[in-house]
Amino acid sequence: MPVYTCTTVQSTLNADTKANLATEVTRIHSMINHVPSAYVNVVFHELPPTPFTPTANLHNHS
């Protein structure tokens, strides 16, 4: 079973975006490889923001 890992900074993607992305990755993999979608796994790995993360500064403005 394939596992696709999407690595992002925490709070970059909301739940709807993650669901839509997982649905599309699953659909594309299933279509290309002719396998049932139940065999495809999509995992989201979220990293904490760092001072060097472009989006980190967006959340810290006063």
Side-chain angles (χ1 to χ4, degrees):
M1 292 198 293
V3 176
Y4 290 92
T5 303
C6 301
T7 303
T8 64
V9 175
Q10 289 172 342
S11 302
T12 302
L13 304 175
N14 63 31
D16 288 338
T17 302
K18 289 178 186 177
N20 290 335
L21 184 56
T23 298
E24 282 303 299
V25 168
T26 300
R27 182 188 66 77
I28 292 167
H29 181 92
S30 296
M31 181 181 66
I32 290 172
N33 295 290
H34 307 286
V35 296
S37 61
Y39 294 152
V40 182
N41 297 283
V42 180
V43 177
F44 290 89
H45 179 70
E46 295 185 311
L47 301 174
T50 67
F52 305 106
T53 305
T55 57
N57 294 326
L58 295 175
H59 301 292
N60 295 327
H61 281 117
S62 313

